[in-house]
């Protein structure tokens, strides 16, 4: 039996988590996996109720989980709170507390969405890469940090073992893919980046079957929109990965399509990259596909059920092939659907796919 902690959070986080839950229940039924779901508050909704964006209760539930699913945190309402009380602070605290140092954000183009992207079809065809973002260190967590009326200060620092462990993951992932790692830094200006680059090259000595190249982050931002096919695994630090993964999200047609997994040695957390989108919250308009694809990653990485993950992803593709579109990915001639309708469609396709295959193969 697996225990999943659900943290819907704020804004559309609630709606897409509801979609994720329906998919989880569907997989649980068809694959005979017993799953226990436990829901807790995080972000602005936790602040409103308890005066803190994350309570000890939420944290300890996560410590007792097999996987965490997070919707999204943040919203205009809480933008002016002091730093440590902002909804975002909860997510950062959670990542650190659970040791989730490896953030995987796959940017894969779904063929039916080739027309939804702002980029040209020829540029997008067959794009399939992963942004591997270091998630528990770098400038997000470096000390000292402060601001007053006259100064603002953060510290970008990496320790050797932090770079080593994320670099190892990058090479291991690349080994299972196209054996190419692009390490992104700003070594022409920042000492911390030169250090990053040196350590990545040291680690590479154990992975010489994988090709390693370095790229400056400004160039990488340009290359992702100029020729994204060149990438396989982009390995980068916390801040650069934050920025590059949003760019990568647009390659898929919409940020509403980009799932993520955050992994550590003991815990794992899955979340759509898109954020809380307060402007469309509560309107049944949000695209649930990033959340649903995050559930697929959960079944793959945390529960070792790759076949379930594949089926979920195929069901997403099929829904898109039948031209179902939420507003963010809508293009002319397609059928505009709500969050619920899209979720329902994915479940139907999942069931169809399941029945069209040999059922016995999937039991545990
Ligand atoms: C992300 C988000 C977070 C980040 C915020 C919400 C703290 O933008 O997961 O990319 O900056 O890491
Ligand atoms: Mn971000």
């Amino acid at each position: 039996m697996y225990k999943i902690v659900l943290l819907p959070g704020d804004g559309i986080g609630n709606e897409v988590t509801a979609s994720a839950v329906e998919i989880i229940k569907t997989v649980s039924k068809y694959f005979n996996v017993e799953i226990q779901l436990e829901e807790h508050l995080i972000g602005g909704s936790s602040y409103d109720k308890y005066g803190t964006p994350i309570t000890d209760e939420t944290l300890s539930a996560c410590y007792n989980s097999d996987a965490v699913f997070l919707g999204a945190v943040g919203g205009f309402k809480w933008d002016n709170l002091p730093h440590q009380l902002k909804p975002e602070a909860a997510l950062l605290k959670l990542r650190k507390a659970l040791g989730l140092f490896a953030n995987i954000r796959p940017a894969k183009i779904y063929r039916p969405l080739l027309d939804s992207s702002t980029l040209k079809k020829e540029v997008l065809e067959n794009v399939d890469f992963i942004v591997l973002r270091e998630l528990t260190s770098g400038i997000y967590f470096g000390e000292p940090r402060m601001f007053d009326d006259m100064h603002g200060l953060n510290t970008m620092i990496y320790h050797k073992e932090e770079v080593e462990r994320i670099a190892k993951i990058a090479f291991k992932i690349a080994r299972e893919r196209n054996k190419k790692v692009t390490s992104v830094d700003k070594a022409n200006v920042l000492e911390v980046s030169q250090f990053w680059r040196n350590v990545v090259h040291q680690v590479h000595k154990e992975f010489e079957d994988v090709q390693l190249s370095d790229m400056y982050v400004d160039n990488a931002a340009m290359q992702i929109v100029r020729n994204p096919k060149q990438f396989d695994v982009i390995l980068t630090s916390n801040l650069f990965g934050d920025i590059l993964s949003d760019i990568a999200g647009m390659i898929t047609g919409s940020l509403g399509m980009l799932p993520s997994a955050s992994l550590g040695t003991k815990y794992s957390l899955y979340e759509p990259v898109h954020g809380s989108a307060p402007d469309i919250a509560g309107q049944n308009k949000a695209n649930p596909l990033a959340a649903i694809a995050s559930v697929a990653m959960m079944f793959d990485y945390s529960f070792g059920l790759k076949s379930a993950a594949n089926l979920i992803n195929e069901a997403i593709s099929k829904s898109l092939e039948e031209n179902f579109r939420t507003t963010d990915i809508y293009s002319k001639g397609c059928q505009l659907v709500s969050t619920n309708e899209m979720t329902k469609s994915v479940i139907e396709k999942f069931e169809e796919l399941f029945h069209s295959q040999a059922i016995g193969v999937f039991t545990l």
Side-chain angles (χ1 to χ4, degrees):
M1 191 193 72
Y2 296 113
K3 188 161 151 190
I4 303 175
V5 168
L6 302 169
L7 306 174
D10 309 317
I12 61 166
N14 292 287
E15 292 150 79
V16 301
T17 302
S19 301
V21 167
E22 288 193 43
I23 304 296
I24 291 169
K25 287 186 172 158
T26 306
V27 177
S28 154
K29 178 171 138 199
Y30 282 89
F31 282 75
N32 284 322
V33 217
E34 208 183 316
I35 288 174
Q36 191 189 323
L37 299 169
E38 191 183 311
E39 192 172 315
H40 289 271
L41 291 177
I42 194 168
S45 52
S46 171
Y47 174 80
D48 286 348
K49 185 151 183 210
Y50 300 112
T52 169
I54 184 163
T55 60
D56 290 344
E57 194 199 329
T58 295
L59 262 181
S60 68
C62 295
Y63 283 131
N64 287 312
S65 70
D66 295 301
V68 179
F69 181 90
L70 187 138
V73 293
F76 313 129
K77 194 178 160 193
W78 305 285
D79 276 353
N80 294 321
L81 285 173
H83 229 70
Q84 70 282 6
L85 293 179
K86 284 194 203 300
E88 289 81 357
L91 181 54
L92 299 176
K93 188 171 173 185
L94 190 60
R95 287 172 179 169
K96 191 74 172 176
L98 301 180
L100 308 171
F101 66 90
N103 182 222
I104 302 174
R105 298 184 165 183
K108 195 175 168 187
I109 180 81
Y110 289 92
R111 292 198 69 82
L113 288 187
L114 277 174
D115 291 321
S116 317
S117 177
T118 46
L119 297 175
K120 286 199 190 105
K121 236 181 177 158
E122 310 84 83
V123 174
L124 290 176
E125 260 161 355
N126 301 319
V127 167
D128 180 359
F129 67 91
I130 278 179
V131 177
L132 179 67
R133 168 187 179 196
E134 198 291 325
L135 203 61
T136 53
S137 185
I139 198 166
Y140 269 55
F141 294 94
E143 300 278 351
R145 56 191 304 157
M146 57 77 69
F147 76 93
D148 59 22
D149 291 343
M150 298 302 286
H151 321 264
L153 165 72
N154 284 95
T155 303
M156 199 191 258
I157 178 166
Y158 269 107
H159 293 97
K160 193 168 181 205
E161 54 290 0
E162 293 169 335
V163 183
E164 279 172 349
R165 65 183 180 181
I166 193 75
K168 277 185 189 154
I169 305 263
F171 292 124
K172 283 183 186 162
I173 293 177
R175 249 182 196 161
E176 306 295 314
R177 297 173 47 96
N178 290 323
K179 298 193 167 51
K180 235 179 99 179
V181 171
T182 310
S183 174
V184 171
D185 62 37
K186 188 71 188 174
N188 49 345
V189 177
L190 303 176
E191 283 79 0
V192 59
S193 277
Q194 185 61 57
F195 171 75
W196 171 282
R197 190 177 278 213
N198 294 349
V199 177
V200 170
H201 280 264
Q202 276 166 28
V203 174
H204 181 229
K205 292 188 180 129
E206 295 163 43
F207 298 87
E208 278 178 342
D209 53 315
V210 178
Q211 188 194 324
L212 169 66
S213 54
D214 304 292
M215 195 179 275
Y216 297 135
V217 63
D218 47 354
N219 185 28
M222 181 185 78
Q223 295 297 340
I224 289 175
V225 283
R226 195 187 76 90
N227 175 23
K229 276 195 258 290
Q230 69 186 288
F231 297 110
D232 180 25
V233 176
I234 294 181
L235 162 65
T236 193
S237 58
N238 206 340
L239 178 63
F240 298 159
D242 177 48
I243 300 164
L244 294 181
S245 61
D246 269 30
I247 306 178
M250 279 317 291
I251 289 207
T252 64
S254 156
L255 203 48
M257 295 299 300
L258 198 64
S260 83
S262 303
L263 311 173
T265 47
K266 195 150 182 245
Y267 299 103
S268 54
L269 179 146
Y270 300 84
E271 60 176 314
V273 176
H274 53 58
S276 61
D279 51 326
I280 57 159
Q283 298 173 32
N284 198 17
K285 270 187 186 168
N287 183 347
L289 296 180
I292 293 172
S294 301
V295 170
M297 293 181 92
M298 178 188 285
F299 278 99
D300 185 358
Y301 297 138
S302 288
F303 308 150
L305 268 177
K306 208 176 181 57
S307 49
N310 291 342
L311 225 52
I312 297 172
N313 288 325
E314 269 185 62
I316 293 175
S317 294
K318 280 233 155 19
S319 296
L320 295 171
E321 275 161 26
E322 290 192 7
N323 286 329
F324 291 117
R325 301 282 189 278
T326 43
T327 36
D328 59 316
I329 48 174
Y330 180 77
S331 57
K332 236 170 92 189
C334 292
Q335 192 184 334
L336 187 62
V337 294
S338 66
T339 311
N340 292 344
E341 286 163 340
M342 184 63 106
T343 308
K344 203 170 144 238
S345 162
V346 175
I347 291 174
E348 275 168 22
K349 305 286 173 261
F350 181 96
E351 290 172 338
E352 277 166 31
L353 285 161
F354 187 89
H355 289 303
S356 71
Q357 305 192 16
I359 292 167
V361 177
F362 291 116
T363 50
L364 275 179

mmCIF file of all heavy atoms in Angstrom, residues 306-330:
data_model
loop_
_atom_site.group_PDB
_atom_site.id
_atom_site.type_symbol
_atom_site.label_atom_id
_atom_site.label_comp_id
_atom_site.label_asym_id
_atom_site.label_seq_id
_atom_site.Cartn_x
_atom_site.Cartn_y
_atom_site.Cartn_z
ATOM 1 N N LYS A 306 5.973 1.629 -14.412
ATOM 2 C CA LYS A 306 6.182 2.323 -15.683
ATOM 3 C C LYS A 306 5.046 2.085 -16.667
ATOM 4 O O LYS A 306 4.664 2.973 -17.431
ATOM 5 C CB LYS A 306 7.518 1.882 -16.297
ATOM 6 C CG LYS A 306 8.100 2.954 -17.172
ATOM 7 C CD LYS A 306 9.468 2.572 -17.720
ATOM 8 C CE LYS A 306 10.030 3.683 -18.581
ATOM 9 N NZ LYS A 306 10.155 4.960 -17.905
ATOM 10 N N SER A 307 4.481 0.880 -16.608
ATOM 11 C CA SER A 307 3.393 0.582 -17.559
ATOM 12 C C SER A 307 2.183 1.475 -17.287
ATOM 13 O O SER A 307 1.519 1.922 -18.222
ATOM 14 C CB SER A 307 3.011 -0.895 -17.478
ATOM 15 O OG SER A 307 2.807 -1.272 -16.141
ATOM 16 N N ALA A 308 1.919 1.761 -16.016
ATOM 17 C CA ALA A 308 0.803 2.666 -15.688
ATOM 18 C C ALA A 308 1.124 4.073 -16.176
ATOM 19 O O ALA A 308 0.274 4.765 -16.750
ATOM 20 C CB ALA A 308 0.552 2.663 -14.191
ATOM 21 N N ALA A 309 2.374 4.467 -15.946
ATOM 22 C CA ALA A 309 2.800 5.802 -16.385
ATOM 23 C C ALA A 309 2.635 5.947 -17.894
ATOM 24 O O ALA A 309 2.101 6.950 -18.386
ATOM 25 C CB ALA A 309 4.253 6.043 -15.978
ATOM 26 N N ASN A 310 3.075 4.931 -18.628
ATOM 27 C CA ASN A 310 2.958 4.982 -20.090
ATOM 28 C C ASN A 310 1.504 5.103 -20.534
ATOM 29 O O ASN A 310 1.187 5.836 -21.467
ATOM 30 C CB ASN A 310 3.571 3.735 -20.724
ATOM 31 C CG ASN A 310 5.086 3.721 -20.564
ATOM 32 O OD1 ASN A 310 5.685 4.759 -20.288
ATOM 33 N ND2 ASN A 310 5.694 2.561 -20.719
ATOM 34 N N LEU A 311 0.661 4.364 -19.844
ATOM 35 C CA LEU A 311 -0.755 4.392 -20.201
ATOM 36 C C LEU A 311 -1.366 5.783 -19.954
ATOM 37 O O LEU A 311 -2.158 6.277 -20.756
ATOM 38 C CB LEU A 311 -1.492 3.333 -19.374
ATOM 39 C CG LEU A 311 -2.479 2.458 -20.104
ATOM 40 C CD1 LEU A 311 -1.877 1.809 -21.333
ATOM 41 C CD2 LEU A 311 -3.041 1.399 -19.175
ATOM 42 N N ILE A 312 -0.995 6.394 -18.854
ATOM 43 C CA ILE A 312 -1.488 7.751 -18.569
ATOM 44 C C ILE A 312 -1.022 8.703 -19.673
ATOM 45 O O ILE A 312 -1.811 9.479 -20.232
ATOM 46 C CB ILE A 312 -0.977 8.272 -17.202
ATOM 47 C CG1 ILE A 312 -1.495 7.409 -16.046
ATOM 48 C CG2 ILE A 312 -1.404 9.732 -16.997
ATOM 49 C CD1 ILE A 312 -0.893 7.746 -14.686
ATOM 50 N N ASN A 313 0.256 8.614 -20.015
ATOM 51 C CA ASN A 313 0.783 9.522 -21.041
ATOM 52 C C ASN A 313 0.138 9.287 -22.404
ATOM 53 O O ASN A 313 -0.147 10.235 -23.138
ATOM 54 C CB ASN A 313 2.304 9.399 -21.132
ATOM 55 C CG ASN A 313 2.976 10.031 -19.920
ATOM 56 O OD1 ASN A 313 2.487 11.035 -19.392
ATOM 57 N ND2 ASN A 313 4.079 9.457 -19.468
ATOM 58 N N GLU A 314 -0.115 8.024 -22.699
ATOM 59 C CA GLU A 314 -0.808 7.731 -23.970
ATOM 60 C C GLU A 314 -2.223 8.273 -23.959
ATOM 61 O O GLU A 314 -2.730 8.758 -24.980
ATOM 62 C CB GLU A 314 -0.872 6.212 -24.189
ATOM 63 C CG GLU A 314 0.306 5.673 -24.964
ATOM 64 C CD GLU A 314 0.106 4.188 -25.239
ATOM 65 O OE1 GLU A 314 -0.866 3.825 -25.918
ATOM 66 O OE2 GLU A 314 0.912 3.397 -24.709
ATOM 67 N N ALA A 315 -2.860 8.175 -22.799
ATOM 68 C CA ALA A 315 -4.232 8.688 -22.681
ATOM 69 C C ALA A 315 -4.251 10.208 -22.875
ATOM 70 O O ALA A 315 -5.179 10.757 -23.479
ATOM 71 C CB ALA A 315 -4.817 8.312 -21.325
ATOM 72 N N ILE A 316 -3.225 10.884 -22.378
ATOM 73 C CA ILE A 316 -3.115 12.337 -22.602
ATOM 74 C C ILE A 316 -2.998 12.607 -24.106
ATOM 75 O O ILE A 316 -3.725 13.433 -24.668
ATOM 76 C CB ILE A 316 -1.888 12.917 -21.857
ATOM 77 C CG1 ILE A 316 -2.086 12.838 -20.338
ATOM 78 C CG2 ILE A 316 -1.634 14.366 -22.289
ATOM 79 C CD1 ILE A 316 -0.884 13.280 -19.513
ATOM 80 N N SER A 317 -2.081 11.886 -24.751
ATOM 81 C CA SER A 317 -1.884 12.084 -26.198
ATOM 82 C C SER A 317 -3.174 11.854 -26.971
ATOM 83 O O SER A 317 -3.525 12.621 -27.864
ATOM 84 C CB SER A 317 -0.826 11.120 -26.740
ATOM 85 O OG SER A 317 0.414 11.430 -26.202
ATOM 86 N N LYS A 318 -3.883 10.789 -26.606
ATOM 87 C CA LYS A 318 -5.126 10.452 -27.315
ATOM 88 C C LYS A 318 -6.165 11.563 -27.167
ATOM 89 O O LYS A 318 -6.855 11.913 -28.120
ATOM 90 C CB LYS A 318 -5.698 9.146 -26.767
ATOM 91 C CG LYS A 318 -5.030 7.914 -27.330
ATOM 92 C CD LYS A 318 -6.104 6.976 -27.887
ATOM 93 C CE LYS A 318 -5.668 6.025 -28.966
ATOM 94 N NZ LYS A 318 -4.310 5.717 -29.171
ATOM 95 N N SER A 319 -6.277 12.116 -25.957
ATOM 96 C CA SER A 319 -7.230 13.216 -25.751
ATOM 97 C C SER A 319 -6.867 14.407 -26.625
ATOM 98 O O SER A 319 -7.740 15.077 -27.180
ATOM 99 C CB SER A 319 -7.237 13.649 -24.283
ATOM 100 O OG SER A 319 -7.696 12.595 -23.498
ATOM 101 N N LEU A 320 -5.578 14.656 -26.739
ATOM 102 C CA LEU A 320 -5.143 15.763 -27.586
ATOM 103 C C LEU A 320 -5.379 15.457 -29.058
ATOM 104 O O LEU A 320 -5.789 16.322 -29.835
ATOM 105 C CB LEU A 320 -3.662 16.073 -27.341
ATOM 106 C CG LEU A 320 -3.306 16.599 -25.941
ATOM 107 C CD1 LEU A 320 -1.802 16.667 -25.758
ATOM 108 C CD2 LEU A 320 -3.927 17.976 -25.712
ATOM 109 N N GLU A 321 -5.141 14.196 -29.423
ATOM 110 C CA GLU A 321 -5.375 13.798 -30.818
ATOM 111 C C GLU A 321 -6.844 13.967 -31.198
ATOM 112 O O GLU A 321 -7.172 14.258 -32.343
ATOM 113 C CB GLU A 321 -4.973 12.332 -31.048
ATOM 114 C CG GLU A 321 -3.499 12.173 -31.354
ATOM 115 C CD GLU A 321 -3.030 10.742 -31.129
ATOM 116 O OE1 GLU A 321 -3.834 9.798 -31.226
ATOM 117 O OE2 GLU A 321 -1.814 10.582 -30.826
ATOM 118 N N GLU A 322 -7.715 13.768 -30.212
ATOM 119 C CA GLU A 322 -9.142 13.964 -30.505
ATOM 120 C C GLU A 322 -9.544 15.421 -30.385
ATOM 121 O O GLU A 322 -10.735 15.751 -30.320
ATOM 122 C CB GLU A 322 -9.970 13.053 -29.610
ATOM 123 C CG GLU A 322 -9.765 11.621 -30.044
ATOM 124 C CD GLU A 322 -10.746 10.635 -29.439
ATOM 125 O OE1 GLU A 322 -11.701 11.059 -28.759
ATOM 126 O OE2 GLU A 322 -10.528 9.434 -29.653
ATOM 127 N N ASN A 323 -8.535 16.263 -30.307
ATOM 128 C CA ASN A 323 -8.737 17.712 -30.362
ATOM 129 C C ASN A 323 -9.418 18.341 -29.153
ATOM 130 O O ASN A 323 -10.005 19.407 -29.259
ATOM 131 C CB ASN A 323 -9.489 18.116 -31.639
ATOM 132 C CG ASN A 323 -8.577 18.011 -32.841
ATOM 133 O OD1 ASN A 323 -7.360 18.206 -32.717
ATOM 134 N ND2 ASN A 323 -9.139 17.682 -33.984
ATOM 135 N N PHE A 324 -9.351 17.679 -28.013
ATOM 136 C CA PHE A 324 -9.817 18.327 -26.793
ATOM 137 C C PHE A 324 -8.766 19.336 -26.355
ATOM 138 O O PHE A 324 -7.572 19.014 -26.289
ATOM 139 C CB PHE A 324 -10.035 17.303 -25.679
ATOM 140 C CG PHE A 324 -11.200 16.400 -25.930
ATOM 141 C CD1 PHE A 324 -11.024 15.033 -26.091
ATOM 142 C CD2 PHE A 324 -12.487 16.930 -26.022
ATOM 143 C CE1 PHE A 324 -12.104 14.195 -26.335
ATOM 144 C CE2 PHE A 324 -13.575 16.096 -26.265
ATOM 145 C CZ PHE A 324 -13.387 14.730 -26.425
ATOM 146 N N ARG A 325 -9.195 20.558 -26.033
ATOM 147 C CA ARG A 325 -8.243 21.600 -25.636
ATOM 148 C C ARG A 325 -8.823 22.472 -24.522
ATOM 149 O O ARG A 325 -9.937 22.962 -24.642
ATOM 150 C CB ARG A 325 -7.925 22.547 -26.802
ATOM 151 C CG ARG A 325 -7.324 21.907 -28.040
ATOM 152 C CD ARG A 325 -5.832 21.613 -27.858
ATOM 153 N NE ARG A 325 -5.240 21.201 -29.107
ATOM 154 C CZ ARG A 325 -5.296 19.955 -29.607
ATOM 155 N NH1 ARG A 325 -5.907 19.006 -28.933
ATOM 156 N NH2 ARG A 325 -4.730 19.672 -30.757
ATOM 157 N N THR A 326 -8.022 22.689 -23.494
ATOM 158 C CA THR A 326 -8.371 23.735 -22.529
ATOM 159 C C THR A 326 -7.948 25.077 -23.138
ATOM 160 O O THR A 326 -7.228 25.099 -24.146
ATOM 161 C CB THR A 326 -7.630 23.508 -21.194
ATOM 162 O OG1 THR A 326 -6.278 23.139 -21.478
ATOM 163 C CG2 THR A 326 -8.296 22.423 -20.375
ATOM 164 N N THR A 327 -8.375 26.179 -22.532
ATOM 165 C CA THR A 327 -8.135 27.501 -23.162
ATOM 166 C C THR A 327 -6.673 27.780 -23.476
ATOM 167 O O THR A 327 -6.365 28.357 -24.520
ATOM 168 C CB THR A 327 -8.608 28.674 -22.270
ATOM 169 O OG1 THR A 327 -8.365 28.328 -20.923
ATOM 170 C CG2 THR A 327 -10.073 28.969 -22.484
ATOM 171 N N ASP A 328 -5.775 27.369 -22.588
ATOM 172 C CA ASP A 328 -4.353 27.708 -22.770
ATOM 173 C C ASP A 328 -3.741 27.061 -24.017
ATOM 174 O O ASP A 328 -2.738 27.553 -24.535
ATOM 175 C CB ASP A 328 -3.542 27.300 -21.527
ATOM 176 C CG ASP A 328 -3.660 25.808 -21.239
ATOM 177 O OD1 ASP A 328 -4.783 25.269 -21.316
ATOM 178 O OD2 ASP A 328 -2.634 25.177 -20.956
ATOM 179 N N ILE A 329 -4.327 25.944 -24.480
ATOM 180 C CA ILE A 329 -3.757 25.267 -25.654
ATOM 181 C C ILE A 329 -4.737 25.254 -26.829
ATOM 182 O O ILE A 329 -4.549 24.544 -27.805
ATOM 183 C CB ILE A 329 -3.329 23.807 -25.322
ATOM 184 C CG1 ILE A 329 -4.440 23.065 -24.564
ATOM 185 C CG2 ILE A 329 -2.039 23.779 -24.538
ATOM 186 C CD1 ILE A 329 -4.138 21.580 -24.328
ATOM 187 N N TYR A 330 -5.774 26.058 -26.691
ATOM 188 C CA TYR A 330 -6.814 26.052 -27.714
ATOM 189 C C TYR A 330 -6.290 26.580 -29.052
ATOM 190 O O TYR A 330 -5.562 27.558 -29.103
ATOM 191 C CB TYR A 330 -7.998 26.912 -27.259
ATOM 192 C CG TYR A 330 -9.110 26.929 -28.278
ATOM 193 C CD1 TYR A 330 -9.969 25.853 -28.398
ATOM 194 C CD2 TYR A 330 -9.264 28.021 -29.136
ATOM 195 C CE1 TYR A 330 -10.970 25.848 -29.362
ATOM 196 C CE2 TYR A 330 -10.267 28.034 -30.093
ATOM 197 C CZ TYR A 330 -11.118 26.933 -30.194
ATOM 198 O OH TYR A 330 -12.088 26.928 -31.141
#
